[in-house]
Amino acid sequence: MSTAILTGPPVAGSPLEADLRTLGFDVRTANDPTAAAELINAVPAQERVAVVDPRFVGHLHALRLALTDPRFPAAAVPGALTAQPAARAALTRAVGRIPVGAGTAHLTDVLTDTLTESLDRDEIGLHRVELGSLVATVALTPAQREDAREAVAAVDDEAVRLRTAVKSRDGFFTTYCISPYSRYLARWCARRGLTPNQVTTASLLTALIAAGCAATGTRGGFVAAGFLLLFSFVLDCTDGQLARYSLQYSTMGAWLDATFDRAKEYAYYAGLALGAARGGDDVWALALGAMVLMTCRHVVDFSFNEANHDATANTSPTAALSGKLDSVGWTVWVRRMIVLPIGERWAMIAVLTALTTPRIVFYALLIGCALAACYTTAGRVLRSLTRRARRTDRAAQALADLADSGPFAELIARSARGRGRTGSFLAPVMAFLSAAVLLVWVIFENDPASWLTVGVAVCSALLAGAAVSRPLKGALDWLVPPFFRAGEYVTILVLAARADVPGALPAAFGLVAAVAYHHYDTVYRIRGGTGAPPRWLVRATGGHEGRILVITVLAAALSPEGFTIALTALAVALALLVLIESIRFWVSSQAPAVHDEGEPA
């Protein structure tokens, strides 16, 4: 239950009370600031409270944006403000600071505006709603009220609400082929009481059915899989639009939306690999390679964004050139399509699944994503090298968390601490060498399943520890986590492929999927403002270098068949560990309510 307090001169015939009740508020009235303070204090501390001027004139959606959005501790438009439990104390203080008596009419005449200014000065995270074409005002005279009503009538409230349900920045395929229709599906869902989480779950189930159809290995199954994958993407767009349309943002929703996208895509890769196997074509290495490439590409995105999230003096000639290109309309869409965002990628996968073979699907996916990764990474390297910025402690900590260093790397880092200079290129060079030394060995060595490989893995771990021995504040330190991910994932892929026994690559696929989930979960926790997973979980999973050591030891000590069984067992154990902790965290999380807008990729 939420409570709205009307404070100010009453207005006969105003639909305001009915609008507030439509939004789920229990409406009460107060004649002065003292009475308003008493009513605010009477509302239970765990409930939202709103203060609204009875002379408010505006669109219902303007009130909805100001009073019901769960993402902000406090929000306001002219004539209305709201405070969630986190901002209730500040609201009480703001009311208590308002003087009473002679000479205070300028403060109490429009009490909501006075309270809004006070909350803004308290720096509690007050959100001032951007109204755009919507109207929200306090009409002090009959003439002002009439003008405001005419302004309200001139703008279609529902059309604005429907238009703003769509993300302002999205890919070409999503913008022109999906969103023009999915927004109406979002409204249909809202009017029937469906939640974004339910639509997200429906999208996942649809994608899993698509993966099952692909796994049949028949042409009919492939055609059905393509159509179902596209419909799953329609639902994937709809859940976010429904969240924006009805303001049903939630921490759980952000997690489900983000993690289910990866689960859907990687499950579909597995379905294609199974379908190909039914036709006598083994493409598990391609499926695992596609998953590795996509995950590493996302790590590049995450690391770069976190490194520059709050950097100061954040300018560069490359960024300026990008801004100039954005001013030319057609270049915006070309650049968005070059990176093969999720809409274009899923459309390509769906069409090629229906018309060709899984092998061709994976070839196209690997080539397209590799070119996109080279384009985006090169641009970010240039920006980083030409940008004069000072990275913060928060950014350095985020990169350290994304590195996922285990006990061995931590021990090496402590012993190497104090050597090298923060801000130099030492960290990315060490991280690159850590991955390169190991990968060159396992790829080109005649028999990588040997104890010599374990020794190389130890050297790789030493270099990894050196890479994270100082705060990651250098211009290219955001490359450290992607280098670690590439080293770990590709090592698993190569060792499984070189084992050359049935089941090794599917087992490796499951292991990389479990580890990748752990890494994505780390990203979304950081984005939610709750920090990385607990250290005990990182240590229990071994960290990236610990897992590499375990896998190389298993490859050296066991037969190829035993290695396959060990990979399977390790995948199951890691999946259970990270999933149980992740679900426990997100179900009980006190992170701010958000809805992940998703990455273009």
Side-chain angles (χ1 to χ4, degrees), residues 15-307:
L16 181 59
E17 288 195 34
D19 287 346
L20 290 171
R21 290 191 175 93
T22 298
L23 297 178
F25 284 90
D26 176 27
V27 181
R28 303 179 188 179
T29 59
N31 297 323
D32 53 59
T34 302
E38 292 175 353
L39 287 177
I40 290 171
N41 291 330
V43 176
Q46 70 274 15
E47 292 185 9
R48 175 194 293 268
V49 64
V51 181
V52 185
D53 194 299
R55 297 163 293 182
F56 174 89
V57 179
H59 288 100
L60 175 62
H61 192 50
L63 275 179
R64 181 182 290 109
L65 290 170
L67 305 184
T68 66
D69 195 325
R71 295 174 296 173
F72 310 105
V77 292
L81 66 93
T82 184
Q84 293 203 70
R88 286 284 303 278
L91 179 59
T92 300
R93 290 194 302 271
V95 175
R97 284 196 292 262
I98 296 177
V100 295
T104 63
H106 66 289
L107 295 174
T108 59
D109 185 36
V110 185
L111 181 62
T112 53
D113 290 353
T114 302
L115 293 176
T116 297
E117 293 299 326
S118 181
L119 288 176
D120 209 4
R121 288 192 299 271
D122 272 359
E123 298 183 353
I124 60 167
L126 175 73
H127 173 64
R128 291 181 182 266
V129 177
E130 294 184 8
L131 292 171
S133 59
L134 295 174
V135 176
T137 187
V138 177
L140 302 178
T141 66
Q144 290 178 353
R145 177 168 293 275
E146 185 62 28
D147 290 343
R149 285 175 174 170
E150 290 178 0
V152 169
V155 176
D156 187 341
D157 176 275
E158 179 60 21
V160 173
R161 186 183 180 191
L162 200 58
R163 184 177 68 251
T164 54
V166 178
K167 280 196 298 187
S168 58
R169 183 181 184 276
D170 222 328
F172 181 88
F173 178 77
T174 304
T175 299
Y176 291 104
C177 299
I178 302 297
S179 293
Y181 314 103
S182 60
R183 69 183 73 182
Y184 295 101
L185 179 58
R187 182 171 66 181
W188 183 89
C189 292
R191 291 177 175 177
R192 282 153 184 81
L194 297 176
T195 67
N197 290 355
Q198 290 171 333
V199 177
T200 302
T201 304
S203 176
L204 173 66
L205 294 175
T206 303
L208 293 179
I209 295 172
C213 291
T216 63
T218 64
R219 177 52 51 194
F222 288 146
V223 171
F227 278 109
L228 287 171
L229 186 66
L230 281 178
F231 183 60
S232 174
F233 182 66
V234 171
L235 293 176
D236 184 54
C237 295
T238 301
D239 64 359
Q241 292 165 359
L242 175 58
R244 287 181 285 273
Y245 181 86
S246 57
L247 300 183
Q248 296 184 73
Y249 302 102
S250 68
T251 302
M252 176 68 76
W255 172 62
L256 291 178
D257 186 54
T259 56
F260 280 11
D261 278 352
R262 304 287 80 80
K264 287 180 287 190
E265 188 165 4
Y266 298 160
Y268 193 81
Y269 293 174
L272 284 175
L274 289 170
R278 286 180 176 272
D281 190 12
D282 186 354
V283 297
W284 274 107
L286 296 177
L288 180 50
M291 181 166 67
V292 169
L293 178 57
M294 282 306 308
T295 305
C296 290
R297 182 183 168 191
H298 285 139
V299 174
V300 169
D301 294 341
F302 299 145
S303 297
F304 179 81
N305 291 334
E306 287 301 325

Side-chain angles (χ1 to χ4, degrees), residues 34 95 120 190 270 292 360 394 415 544 559 561:
T34 302
V95 175
D120 209 4
V292 169
I360 293 176
R394 177 200 174 281
S415 64
H544 70 93
S559 66
E561 293 77 9

Side-chain angles (χ1 to χ4, degrees), residues 552-573:
T552 54
V553 167
L554 292 174
L558 301 175
S559 66
E561 293 77 9
F563 179 59
T564 299
I565 295 172
L567 282 183
T568 304
L570 188 58
V572 172

